[in-house]
Amino acid sequence: MAWSSAFLRRAWPLALALAACSAGWYDRRGQAALDDHDLAAAEEAWRKALARDPTDVKALAGLGWTYHLAGREEAAKGAFDRCVAVAPEAVECLRGQASVLAAGGEVARARELLRKALALAPHDPGVHGSLALLDLAAGDLDAAAERYESLVRRLPDDGRWRLGLGEVRYQQHRFEEALEQVEAGLADEDLPRRYRAMLLVLQARCLVALTADREDPERCAQTAPPVRAWLDAADAALDAAEALGVKLPGLPPARRLALRRRAMLDETCPPGP
């Protein structure tokens, strides 16, 4: 049966309205807000999605990550637990449970869940990234580097894995290589705001580290200006990270690191008039 053009004109706005009220529509809003680190908007969107479909796995996982990033670990655990109850083989829910456990110091249980997730999705980059974070936290830099190197080879334009590899290189005291990863990561135009801020903080830490023992008290006029320029660049990176509006626990320590290094420089080579 052919639909009349008049009927279609009347039905089309209704179809759009129904689509706008669907759980999937709120899922997309929630993910966009989470990527922008607008945690309040993300929570609201995920909750509206769940009001329409309480078994929406994407919304349950998204709500869990939102709470996790906000430091509301009990709420995050509840969301991820419900997610796994609804979909026991949903990898994102298992990753979330593992992340909450790791944050609480239960690293062995977290690794067990991630191994289960890996068995379900052997090529999932998020699972490999979560395992690399556990390796990094445990101080196994070689294992973390291997995982992140693999992710960077597979997904060279994804700044998240550049951040991970850059952090490994920093902890290996390979600061120039870490900066290369930071620059490559910042080139990712679709990188969520939180990761961009973390890359900028890492950039500042690398720049400060590279100034070590660069000034010569016998040649302050020649050696101190380049060090001050690097410290100025570190301060600029921290300012840019702060301007993104993401509350990162690593930002204040990085500020203190840069301030201490500048104080040491000024003591050795007092700034001129």
Side-chain angles (χ1 to χ4, degrees):
M1 179 177 66
W3 299 104
S4 69
S5 58
F7 173 81
L8 290 174
R9 283 196 301 272
R10 290 193 301 271
W12 184 243
L14 177 60
L16 289 177
L18 289 172
C21 292
S22 69
W25 188 78
Y26 284 110
D27 283 342
R28 291 188 290 275
R29 288 190 64 179
Q31 188 61 55
L34 188 59
D35 287 346
D36 206 35
H37 206 75
D38 187 345
L39 301 183
E43 180 184 3
E44 181 182 5
W46 299 126
R47 285 191 170 279
K48 287 182 177 179
L50 289 168
R52 285 151 180 80
D53 180 4
T55 64
D56 184 346
V57 173
K58 184 173 180 60
L60 286 168
L63 191 61
W65 288 115
T66 301
Y67 288 144
H68 193 29
L69 289 174
R72 299 167 60 184
E73 300 301 350
E74 283 301 317
K77 180 181 183 302
F80 287 129
D81 286 351
R82 290 197 304 275
C83 192
V84 170
V86 169
E89 295 188 350
V91 168
E92 194 66 10
C93 306
L94 293 169
R95 282 187 61 229
Q97 280 188 322
S99 188
V100 170
L101 286 169
E106 298 185 65
V107 176
R109 287 185 61 198
R111 194 176 291 277
E112 183 181 338
L113 283 176
L114 289 175
R115 285 175 179 150
K116 178 180 178 181
L118 191 63
L120 292 167
H123 303 294
D124 187 279
V127 176
H128 285 278
S130 294
L131 284 165
L133 278 175
L134 283 186
D135 293 334
L136 190 59
D140 191 345
L141 299 183
D142 291 339
E146 185 177 351
R147 290 190 188 277
Y148 280 127
E149 287 165 359
S150 176
L151 286 166
V152 165
R153 284 194 297 270
R154 286 172 55 195
L155 302 163
D157 298 327
D158 192 328
R160 294 175 298 171
W161 316 129
R162 297 284 186 175
L163 170 64
L165 185 54
E167 181 62 37
V168 172
R169 294 293 183 245
Y170 177 88
Q171 295 195 26
Q172 291 173 327
H173 295 178
R174 295 159 64 175
F175 303 120
E176 292 183 355
E177 292 178 43
L179 278 177
E180 291 174 2
Q181 296 301 323
V182 168
E183 291 167 6
L186 290 173
D188 179 0
E189 295 180 357
D190 298 322
L191 189 66
R193 181 177 297 193
R194 180 169 60 93
Y195 291 99
R196 187 169 298 278
M198 292 169 72
L199 277 167
L200 288 165
V201 171
L202 176 58
Q203 183 179 54
R205 290 162 56 211
C206 290
L207 289 168
V208 172
L210 283 168
T211 68
D213 301 321
R214 296 276 182 169
E215 68 269 26
D216 181 350
E218 302 298 325
R219 299 175 58 247
C220 281
Q222 294 76 33
T223 61
V227 175
R228 286 199 170 87
W230 284 19
L231 293 176
D232 289 344
D235 287 340
L238 292 172
D239 289 343
E242 193 168 7
L244 289 172
V246 180
K247 291 184 179 179
L248 294 177
L251 201 154
R255 283 278 189 202
R256 293 193 293 271
L257 182 70
L259 286 170
R260 284 197 300 270
R261 183 64 184 94
R262 192 178 291 276
M264 291 171 59
L265 173 64
D266 290 348
E267 184 177 353
T268 303
C269 293

